[in-house]
């Protein structure tokens, strides 16, 4: 377990999500009612930028083909669709988050 600082709490208001660099990847942080959750920003389907999608409650929708994930767990809630073809998508990778003072820390595991 090695938590590393990713952002500061004042960078992310409730209902917002943004991506932040950590090591050699981008981490999606989502603030849901004051609770912070972290996912790999890269969609497990074809690498879409989840931070450019839509956050609705605890669900993020990928901007590329519409796959949906629970930001709390990374669980896939809806598959991708290209034209009329539905494609199965796995879960997004989720990471442990904690806050220390104003700092948001993530453990990449
Ligand atoms: S890249 Fe995210 S749904 Fe296709």
């Amino acid at each position: 377990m090695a938590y590393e600082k990713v952002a500061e709490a004042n960078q992310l208001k409730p209902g917002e999500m943004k991506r932040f660099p950590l090591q050699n990847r981008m981490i999606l942080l989502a603030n849901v009612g004051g609770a912070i959750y972290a996912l790999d920003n890269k969609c497990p389907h074809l690498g879409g930028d989840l931070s450019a999608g839509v956050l609705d409650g605890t669900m993020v929708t990928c901007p590329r083909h519409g796959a949906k994930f629970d930001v709390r767990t990374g669980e896939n809630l809806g598959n991708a669709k290209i034209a009329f073809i539905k494609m199965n998508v796995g879960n997004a990778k989720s990471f442990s988050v904690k806050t220390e003072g104003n700092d948001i820390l993530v453990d990449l595991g």
Side-chain angles (χ1 to χ4, degrees), residues 5-13 16 18 20 102 104:
K5 180 178 173 180
V6 176
E8 295 187 351
N10 59 11
Q11 293 178 274
L12 202 62
K13 297 186 184 84
E16 278 188 345
K18 289 182 188 168
F20 296 92
N102 196 40
I104 299 171

Side-chain angles (χ1 to χ4, degrees), residues 10 20 22 24 43 54 64 89:
N10 59 11
F20 296 92
L22 181 61
N24 57 356
C43 177
V54 174
R64 287 192 66 192
V89 178

Side-chain angles (χ1 to χ4, degrees), residues 20-55:
F20 296 92
L22 181 61
Q23 295 183 14
N24 57 356
R25 64 172 86 196
M26 296 303 282
I27 303 297
L28 177 76
L29 293 183
N31 183 333
V32 180
I36 309 294
Y37 300 99
L39 295 182
D40 191 327
N41 188 58
K42 198 193 253 187
C43 177
H45 178 225
L46 291 174
D49 175 1
L50 292 179
S51 72
V54 174
L55 179 66

